[in-house]
PDB file of all heavy atoms in Angstrom:
ATOM      1  N   ASN A  89     104.181 101.665 100.433  1.00 91.00           N
ATOM      2  CA  ASN A  89     103.723 101.895 101.802  1.00 91.00           C
ATOM      3  C   ASN A  89     102.214 102.096 101.820  1.00 91.00           C
ATOM      4  O   ASN A  89     101.638 102.545 100.836  1.00 91.00           O
ATOM      5  CB  ASN A  89     104.354 103.171 102.385  1.00 91.00           C
ATOM      6  CG  ASN A  89     105.827 103.033 102.643  1.00 91.00           C
ATOM      7  OD1 ASN A  89     106.276 102.077 103.247  1.00 91.00           O
ATOM      8  ND2 ASN A  89     106.604 104.007 102.177  1.00 91.00           N
ATOM      9  N   ASP A  90     101.601 101.805 102.938  1.00 94.00           N
ATOM     10  CA  ASP A  90     100.233 102.224 103.229  1.00 94.00           C
ATOM     11  C   ASP A  90     100.392 103.358 104.234  1.00 94.00           C
ATOM     12  O   ASP A  90     100.337 103.154 105.438  1.00 94.00           O
ATOM     13  CB  ASP A  90      99.412 101.077 103.820  1.00 94.00           C
ATOM     14  CG  ASP A  90      99.168  99.956 102.820  1.00 94.00           C
ATOM     15  OD1 ASP A  90      99.300 100.198 101.610  1.00 94.00           O
ATOM     16  OD2 ASP A  90      98.836  98.841 103.243  1.00 94.00           O
ATOM     17  N   CYS A  91     100.639 104.568 103.734  1.00 94.00           N
ATOM     18  CA  CYS A  91     101.091 105.646 104.612  1.00 94.00           C
ATOM     19  C   CYS A  91     100.023 106.699 104.873  1.00 94.00           C
ATOM     20  O   CYS A  91      99.095 106.894 104.090  1.00 94.00           O
ATOM     21  CB  CYS A  91     102.342 106.295 104.046  1.00 94.00           C
ATOM     22  SG  CYS A  91     102.210 106.811 102.342  1.00 94.00           S
ATOM     23  N   PHE A  92     100.200 107.367 106.009  1.00 96.00           N
ATOM     24  CA  PHE A  92      99.336 108.468 106.415  1.00 96.00           C
ATOM     25  C   PHE A  92     100.151 109.433 107.268  1.00 96.00           C
ATOM     26  O   PHE A  92     101.228 109.095 107.738  1.00 96.00           O
ATOM     27  CB  PHE A  92      98.100 107.957 107.167  1.00 96.00           C
ATOM     28  CG  PHE A  92      98.408 107.234 108.451  1.00 96.00           C
ATOM     29  CD1 PHE A  92      98.390 107.888 109.669  1.00 96.00           C
ATOM     30  CD2 PHE A  92      98.718 105.872 108.440  1.00 96.00           C
ATOM     31  CE1 PHE A  92      98.669 107.210 110.851  1.00 96.00           C
ATOM     32  CE2 PHE A  92      98.989 105.180 109.611  1.00 96.00           C
ATOM     33  CZ  PHE A  92      98.963 105.861 110.830  1.00 96.00           C
ATOM     34  N   VAL A  93      99.611 110.641 107.446  1.00 96.00           N
ATOM     35  CA  VAL A  93     100.296 111.678 108.219  1.00 96.00           C
ATOM     36  C   VAL A  93      99.461 112.019 109.440  1.00 96.00           C
ATOM     37  O   VAL A  93      98.235 112.156 109.344  1.00 96.00           O
ATOM     38  CB  VAL A  93     100.506 112.962 107.385  1.00 96.00           C
ATOM     39  CG1 VAL A  93     101.188 114.051 108.205  1.00 96.00           C
ATOM     40  CG2 VAL A  93     101.307 112.668 106.130  1.00 96.00           C
ATOM     41  N   VAL A  94     100.121 112.158 110.586  1.00 97.00           N
ATOM     42  CA  VAL A  94      99.483 112.658 111.804  1.00 97.00           C
ATOM     43  C   VAL A  94     100.077 114.031 112.080  1.00 97.00           C
ATOM     44  O   VAL A  94     101.297 114.164 112.204  1.00 97.00           O
ATOM     45  CB  VAL A  94      99.724 111.721 113.007  1.00 97.00           C
ATOM     46  CG1 VAL A  94      99.136 112.315 114.271  1.00 97.00           C
ATOM     47  CG2 VAL A  94      99.140 110.345 112.737  1.00 97.00           C
ATOM     48  N   MET A  95      99.207 115.051 112.120  1.00 95.00           N
ATOM     49  CA  MET A  95      99.639 116.408 112.453  1.00 95.00           C
ATOM     50  C   MET A  95      99.173 116.709 113.862  1.00 95.00           C
ATOM     51  O   MET A  95      98.025 116.424 114.198  1.00 95.00           O
ATOM     52  CB  MET A  95      99.013 117.422 111.501  1.00 95.00           C
ATOM     53  CG  MET A  95      99.484 117.293 110.091  1.00 95.00           C
ATOM     54  SD  MET A  95      98.733 118.526 109.031  1.00 95.00           S
ATOM     55  CE  MET A  95      97.104 117.854 108.842  1.00 95.00           C
ATOM     56  N   SER A  96     100.040 117.288 114.665  1.00 94.00           N
ATOM     57  CA  SER A  96      99.631 117.639 116.027  1.00 94.00           C
ATOM     58  C   SER A  96     100.118 119.039 116.369  1.00 94.00           C
ATOM     59  O   SER A  96     101.181 119.475 115.942  1.00 94.00           O
ATOM     60  CB  SER A  96     100.167 116.627 117.035  1.00 94.00           C
ATOM     61  OG  SER A  96     101.567 116.610 117.024  1.00 94.00           O
ATOM     62  N   LEU A  97      99.281 119.733 117.136  1.00 92.00           N
ATOM     63  CA  LEU A  97      99.589 121.068 117.638  1.00 92.00           C
ATOM     64  C   LEU A  97      99.033 121.114 119.043  1.00 92.00           C
ATOM     65  O   LEU A  97      97.815 121.064 119.230  1.00 92.00           O
ATOM     66  CB  LEU A  97      98.967 122.143 116.754  1.00 92.00           C
ATOM     67  CG  LEU A  97      99.182 123.598 117.173  1.00 92.00           C
ATOM     68  CD1 LEU A  97     100.659 123.935 117.232  1.00 92.00           C
ATOM     69  CD2 LEU A  97      98.455 124.534 116.213  1.00 92.00           C
ATOM     70  N   GLY A  98      99.914 121.155 120.033  1.00 88.00           N
ATOM     71  CA  GLY A  98      99.458 121.039 121.418  1.00 88.00           C
ATOM     72  C   GLY A  98      98.879 119.655 121.637  1.00 88.00           C
ATOM     73  O   GLY A  98      99.486 118.651 121.277  1.00 88.00           O
ATOM     74  N   LYS A  99      97.663 119.592 122.175  1.00 90.00           N
ATOM     75  CA  LYS A  99      97.010 118.298 122.434  1.00 90.00           C
ATOM     76  C   LYS A  99      96.093 117.862 121.305  1.00 90.00           C
ATOM     77  O   LYS A  99      95.538 116.778 121.337  1.00 90.00           O
ATOM     78  CB  LYS A  99      96.214 118.377 123.736  1.00 90.00           C
ATOM     79  CG  LYS A  99      97.091 118.572 124.950  1.00 90.00           C
ATOM     80  CD  LYS A  99      96.280 118.634 126.216  1.00 90.00           C
ATOM     81  CE  LYS A  99      97.178 118.860 127.414  1.00 90.00           C
ATOM     82  NZ  LYS A  99      96.421 118.939 128.660  1.00 90.00           N
ATOM     83  N   GLU A 100      95.934 118.710 120.296  1.00 92.00           N
ATOM     84  CA  GLU A 100      95.016 118.410 119.189  1.00 92.00           C
ATOM     85  C   GLU A 100      95.757 117.699 118.060  1.00 92.00           C
ATOM     86  O   GLU A 100      96.908 118.033 117.750  1.00 92.00           O
ATOM     87  CB  GLU A 100      94.401 119.708 118.685  1.00 92.00           C
ATOM     88  CG  GLU A 100      93.192 119.507 117.825  1.00 92.00           C
ATOM     89  CD  GLU A 100      92.473 120.818 117.532  1.00 92.00           C
ATOM     90  OE1 GLU A 100      92.983 121.895 117.876  1.00 92.00           O
ATOM     91  OE2 GLU A 100      91.399 120.738 116.933  1.00 92.00           O
ATOM     92  N   LYS A 101      95.072 116.714 117.436  1.00 95.00           N
ATOM     93  CA  LYS A 101      95.681 115.943 116.347  1.00 95.00           C
ATOM     94  C   LYS A 101      94.718 115.800 115.177  1.00 95.00           C
ATOM     95  O   LYS A 101      93.507 115.842 115.346  1.00 95.00           O
ATOM     96  CB  LYS A 101      96.059 114.544 116.824  1.00 95.00           C
ATOM     97  CG  LYS A 101      97.194 114.516 117.802  1.00 95.00           C
ATOM     98  CD  LYS A 101      97.576 113.102 118.160  1.00 95.00           C
ATOM     99  CE  LYS A 101      98.745 113.108 119.122  1.00 95.00           C
ATOM    100  NZ  LYS A 101      99.193 111.758 119.436  1.00 95.00           N
ATOM    101  N   PHE A 102      95.292 115.601 114.000  1.00 96.00           N
ATOM    102  CA  PHE A 102      94.524 115.315 112.785  1.00 96.00           C
ATOM    103  C   PHE A 102      95.290 114.249 112.015  1.00 96.00           C
ATOM    104  O   PHE A 102      96.518 114.280 111.949  1.00 96.00           O
ATOM    105  CB  PHE A 102      94.395 116.571 111.912  1.00 96.00           C
ATOM    106  CG  PHE A 102      93.776 116.306 110.571  1.00 96.00           C
ATOM    107  CD1 PHE A 102      92.408 116.184 110.437  1.00 96.00           C
ATOM    108  CD2 PHE A 102      94.570 116.161 109.445  1.00 96.00           C
ATOM    109  CE1 PHE A 102      91.839 115.927 109.196  1.00 96.00           C
ATOM    110  CE2 PHE A 102      94.017 115.909 108.203  1.00 96.00           C
ATOM    111  CZ  PHE A 102      92.641 115.792 108.082  1.00 96.00           C
ATOM    112  N   GLN A 103      94.551 113.309 111.438  1.00 96.00           N
ATOM    113  CA  GLN A 103      95.165 112.244 110.644  1.00 96.00           C
ATOM    114  C   GLN A 103      94.609 112.281 109.230  1.00 96.00           C
ATOM    115  O   GLN A 103      93.397 112.361 109.037  1.00 96.00           O
ATOM    116  CB  GLN A 103      94.873 110.889 111.277  1.00 96.00           C
ATOM    117  CG  GLN A 103      95.458 109.735 110.495  1.00 96.00           C
ATOM    118  CD  GLN A 103      95.173 108.391 111.155  1.00 96.00           C
ATOM    119  OE1 GLN A 103      95.330 108.261 112.356  1.00 96.00           O
ATOM    120  NE2 GLN A 103      94.763 107.427 110.362  1.00 96.00           N
ATOM    121  N   THR A 104      95.498 112.204 108.246  1.00 96.00           N
ATOM    122  CA  THR A 104      95.071 112.155 106.848  1.00 96.00           C
ATOM    123  C   THR A 104      94.519 110.770 106.516  1.00 96.00           C
ATOM    124  O   THR A 104      94.616 109.845 107.321  1.00 96.00           O
ATOM    125  CB  THR A 104      96.246 112.441 105.893  1.00 96.00           C
ATOM    126  OG1 THR A 104      97.198 111.379 106.008  1.00 96.00           O
ATOM    127  CG2 THR A 104      96.882 113.778 106.161  1.00 96.00           C
ATOM    128  N   SER A 105      94.018 110.636 105.318  1.00 96.00           N
ATOM    129  CA  SER A 105      93.601 109.324 104.829  1.00 96.00           C
ATOM    130  C   SER A 105      94.845 108.477 104.565  1.00 96.00           C
ATOM    131  O   SER A 105      95.952 109.002 104.439  1.00 96.00           O
ATOM    132  CB  SER A 105      92.797 109.472 103.535  1.00 96.00           C
ATOM    133  OG  SER A 105      93.595 110.078 102.535  1.00 96.00           O
ATOM    134  N   VAL A 106      94.651 107.169 104.490  1.00 95.00           N
ATOM    135  CA  VAL A 106      95.752 106.241 104.215  1.00 95.00           C
ATOM    136  C   VAL A 106      95.893 106.102 102.696  1.00 95.00           C
ATOM    137  O   VAL A 106      94.921 105.811 102.002  1.00 95.00           O
ATOM    138  CB  VAL A 106      95.496 104.862 104.860  1.00 95.00           C
ATOM    139  CG1 VAL A 106      96.595 103.871 104.485  1.00 95.00           C
ATOM    140  CG2 VAL A 106      95.385 104.997 106.374  1.00 95.00           C
ATOM    141  N   LYS A 107      97.093 106.334 102.204  1.00 95.00           N
ATOM    142  CA  LYS A 107      97.389 106.125 100.779  1.00 95.00           C
ATOM    143  C   LYS A 107      97.965 104.718 100.648  1.00 95.00           C
ATOM    144  O   LYS A 107      99.098 104.460 101.038  1.00 95.00           O
ATOM    145  CB  LYS A 107      98.399 107.157 100.265  1.00 95.00           C
ATOM    146  CG  LYS A 107      97.875 108.572 100.295  1.00 95.00           C
ATOM    147  CD  LYS A 107      96.766 108.751  99.290  1.00 95.00           C
ATOM    148  CE  LYS A 107      96.341 110.206  99.240  1.00 95.00           C
ATOM    149  NZ  LYS A 107      95.325 110.461  98.236  1.00 95.00           N
ATOM    150  N   GLU A 108      97.156 103.818 100.137  1.00 93.00           N
ATOM    151  CA  GLU A 108      97.567 102.417 100.042  1.00 93.00           C
ATOM    152  C   GLU A 108      98.474 102.179  98.841  1.00 93.00           C
ATOM    153  O   GLU A 108      98.292 102.769  97.776  1.00 93.00           O
ATOM    154  CB  GLU A 108      96.330 101.526  99.961  1.00 93.00           C
ATOM    155  CG  GLU A 108      95.495 101.596 101.236  1.00 93.00           C
ATOM    156  CD  GLU A 108      94.297 100.664 101.207  1.00 93.00           C
ATOM    157  OE1 GLU A 108      94.080  99.974 100.194  1.00 93.00           O
ATOM    158  OE2 GLU A 108      93.583 100.642 102.221  1.00 93.00           O
ATOM    159  N   LYS A 109      99.455 101.316  99.044  1.00 93.00           N
ATOM    160  CA  LYS A 109     100.424 100.938  98.016  1.00 93.00           C
ATOM    161  C   LYS A 109     101.069 102.156  97.358  1.00 93.00           C
ATOM    162  O   LYS A 109     101.233 102.229  96.146  1.00 93.00           O
ATOM    163  CB  LYS A 109      99.767 100.040  96.971  1.00 93.00           C
ATOM    164  CG  LYS A 109      99.268  98.737  97.574  1.00 93.00           C
ATOM    165  CD  LYS A 109      98.617  97.859  96.549  1.00 93.00           C
ATOM    166  CE  LYS A 109      98.095  96.586  97.220  1.00 93.00           C
ATOM    167  NZ  LYS A 109      97.308  95.767  96.337  1.00 93.00           N
ATOM    168  N   ALA A 110     101.440 103.109  98.191  1.00 93.00           N
ATOM    169  CA  ALA A 110     102.028 104.362  97.704  1.00 93.00           C
ATOM    170  C   ALA A 110     103.533 104.206  97.496  1.00 93.00           C
ATOM    171  O   ALA A 110     104.198 103.508  98.251  1.00 93.00           O
ATOM    172  CB  ALA A 110     101.760 105.472  98.714  1.00 93.00           C
ATOM    173  N   PRO A 111     104.067 104.878  96.487  1.00 92.00           N
ATOM    174  CA  PRO A 111     105.521 104.887  96.276  1.00 92.00           C
ATOM    175  C   PRO A 111     106.190 105.787  97.326  1.00 92.00           C
ATOM    176  O   PRO A 111     105.502 106.434  98.117  1.00 92.00           O
ATOM    177  CB  PRO A 111     105.655 105.485  94.872  1.00 92.00           C
ATOM    178  CG  PRO A 111     104.451 106.343  94.714  1.00 92.00           C
ATOM    179  CD  PRO A 111     103.355 105.656  95.475  1.00 92.00           C
ATOM    180  N   PRO A 112     107.522 105.890  97.324  1.00 90.00           N
ATOM    181  CA  PRO A 112     108.221 106.743  98.301  1.00 90.00           C
ATOM    182  C   PRO A 112     107.853 108.231  98.209  1.00 90.00           C
ATOM    183  O   PRO A 112     108.012 108.965  99.164  1.00 90.00           O
ATOM    184  CB  PRO A 112     109.696 106.532  97.973  1.00 90.00           C
ATOM    185  CG  PRO A 112     109.749 105.186  97.340  1.00 90.00           C
ATOM    186  CD  PRO A 112     108.468 105.064  96.569  1.00 90.00           C
ATOM    187  N   ASP A 113     107.358 108.677  97.048  1.00 93.00           N
ATOM    188  CA  ASP A 113     106.867 110.051  96.887  1.00 93.00           C
ATOM    189  C   ASP A 113     105.347 109.984  96.767  1.00 93.00           C
ATOM    190  O   ASP A 113     104.830 109.386  95.819  1.00 93.00           O
ATOM    191  CB  ASP A 113     107.452 110.699  95.636  1.00 93.00           C
ATOM    192  CG  ASP A 113     108.963 110.834  95.701  1.00 93.00           C
ATOM    193  OD1 ASP A 113     109.530 110.706  96.807  1.00 93.00           O
ATOM    194  OD2 ASP A 113     109.575 111.069  94.651  1.00 93.00           O
ATOM    195  N   VAL A 114     104.639 110.593  97.721  1.00 94.00           N
ATOM    196  CA  VAL A 114     103.178 110.468  97.773  1.00 94.00           C
ATOM    197  C   VAL A 114     102.534 111.834  97.997  1.00 94.00           C
ATOM    198  O   VAL A 114     103.119 112.706  98.635  1.00 94.00           O
ATOM    199  CB  VAL A 114     102.758 109.452  98.865  1.00 94.00           C
ATOM    200  CG1 VAL A 114     103.223 109.888 100.222  1.00 94.00           C
ATOM    201  CG2 VAL A 114     101.267 109.197  98.877  1.00 94.00           C
ATOM    202  N   THR A 115     101.327 112.037  97.446  1.00 95.00           N
ATOM    203  CA  THR A 115     100.603 113.302  97.548  1.00 95.00           C
ATOM    204  C   THR A 115      99.279 113.094  98.273  1.00 95.00           C
ATOM    205  O   THR A 115      98.563 112.138  97.984  1.00 95.00           O
ATOM    206  CB  THR A 115     100.333 113.879  96.138  1.00 95.00           C
ATOM    207  OG1 THR A 115     101.588 114.051  95.477  1.00 95.00           O
ATOM    208  CG2 THR A 115      99.614 115.202  96.221  1.00 95.00           C
ATOM    209  N   TRP A 116      98.957 114.012  99.204  1.00 95.00           N
ATOM    210  CA  TRP A 116      97.672 113.963  99.924  1.00 95.00           C
ATOM    211  C   TRP A 116      96.777 115.141  99.557  1.00 95.00           C
ATOM    212  O   TRP A 116      95.611 114.954  99.281  1.00 95.00           O
ATOM    213  CB  TRP A 116      97.889 113.993 101.442  1.00 95.00           C
ATOM    214  CG  TRP A 116      98.284 112.694 102.027  1.00 95.00           C
ATOM    215  CD1 TRP A 116      97.456 111.680 102.415  1.00 95.00           C
ATOM    216  CD2 TRP A 116      99.605 112.247 102.300  1.00 95.00           C
ATOM    217  NE1 TRP A 116      98.189 110.634 102.904  1.00 95.00           N
ATOM    218  CE2 TRP A 116      99.514 110.958 102.847  1.00 95.00           C
ATOM    219  CE3 TRP A 116     100.861 112.808 102.139  1.00 95.00           C
ATOM    220  CZ2 TRP A 116     100.622 110.227 103.235  1.00 95.00           C
ATOM    221  CZ3 TRP A 116     101.967 112.096 102.518  1.00 95.00           C
ATOM    222  CH2 TRP A 116     101.838 110.815 103.060  1.00 95.00           C
ATOM    223  N   CYS A 117      97.253 116.361  99.649  1.00 93.00           N
ATOM    224  CA  CYS A 117      96.461 117.580  99.449  1.00 93.00           C
ATOM    225  C   CYS A 117      95.218 117.588 100.346  1.00 93.00           C
ATOM    226  O   CYS A 117      94.107 117.802  99.884  1.00 93.00           O
ATOM    227  CB  CYS A 117      96.077 117.759  97.985  1.00 93.00           C
ATOM    228  SG  CYS A 117      97.490 118.066  96.929  1.00 93.00           S
ATOM    229  N   GLU A 118      95.423 117.346 101.633  1.00 95.00           N
ATOM    230  CA  GLU A 118      94.330 117.339 102.606  1.00 95.00           C
ATOM    231  C   GLU A 118      94.513 118.492 103.583  1.00 95.00           C
ATOM    232  O   GLU A 118      95.628 118.808 103.978  1.00 95.00           O
ATOM    233  CB  GLU A 118      94.285 116.013 103.357  1.00 95.00           C
ATOM    234  CG  GLU A 118      93.918 114.861 102.457  1.00 95.00           C
ATOM    235  CD  GLU A 118      93.702 113.558 103.210  1.00 95.00           C
ATOM    236  OE1 GLU A 118      93.326 113.597 104.402  1.00 95.00           O
ATOM    237  OE2 GLU A 118      93.922 112.505 102.600  1.00 95.00           O
ATOM    238  N   GLU A 119      93.389 119.109 103.966  1.00 94.00           N
ATOM    239  CA  GLU A 119      93.414 120.274 104.832  1.00 94.00           C
ATOM    240  C   GLU A 119      92.793 119.974 106.188  1.00 94.00           C
ATOM    241  O   GLU A 119      91.923 119.107 106.304  1.00 94.00           O
ATOM    242  CB  GLU A 119      92.640 121.427 104.199  1.00 94.00           C
ATOM    243  CG  GLU A 119      93.238 121.915 102.911  1.00 94.00           C
ATOM    244  CD  GLU A 119      92.445 123.052 102.300  1.00 94.00           C
ATOM    245  OE1 GLU A 119      91.338 123.364 102.803  1.00 94.00           O
ATOM    246  OE2 GLU A 119      92.926 123.631 101.322  1.00 94.00           O
ATOM    247  N   CYS A 120      93.220 120.730 107.191  1.00 94.00           N
ATOM    248  CA  CYS A 120      92.598 120.658 108.511  1.00 94.00           C
ATOM    249  C   CYS A 120      92.776 122.008 109.204  1.00 94.00           C
ATOM    250  O   CYS A 120      93.529 122.862 108.735  1.00 94.00           O
ATOM    251  CB  CYS A 120      93.190 119.542 109.354  1.00 94.00           C
ATOM    252  SG  CYS A 120      94.826 119.898 110.015  1.00 94.00           S
ATOM    253  N   GLU A 121      92.070 122.177 110.288  1.00 93.00           N
ATOM    254  CA  GLU A 121      92.189 123.381 111.104  1.00 93.00           C
ATOM    255  C   GLU A 121      92.439 122.948 112.539  1.00 93.00           C
ATOM    256  O   GLU A 121      91.677 122.147 113.081  1.00 93.00           O
ATOM    257  CB  GLU A 121      90.910 124.214 111.004  1.00 93.00           C
ATOM    258  CG  GLU A 121      90.990 125.528 111.734  1.00 93.00           C
ATOM    259  CD  GLU A 121      89.765 126.380 111.484  1.00 93.00           C
ATOM    260  OE1 GLU A 121      89.714 127.030 110.424  1.00 93.00           O
ATOM    261  OE2 GLU A 121      88.874 126.372 112.346  1.00 93.00           O
TER     262      GLU A 121
END
């Protein structure tokens, strides 16, 4: 997959980086506030 995560709380959103050619188990370790 070329996968990424969208986190939302209320109207605010954050998107992680895209992990290209990732297997079904993927790690990001990305932070947001």
Side-chain angles (χ1 to χ4, degrees):
N89 290 311
D90 293 341
C91 52
F92 62 95
V93 179
V94 176
M95 294 181 284
S96 62
L97 179 59
K99 294 181 181 179
E100 196 171 7
K101 291 184 179 183
F102 172 80
Q103 179 179 315
T104 66
S105 61
V106 176
K107 295 292 185 177
E108 296 183 358
K109 298 180 182 173
D113 297 344
V114 61
T115 302
W116 281 275
C117 294
E118 293 187 27
E119 297 180 352
C120 75
E121 184 174 279

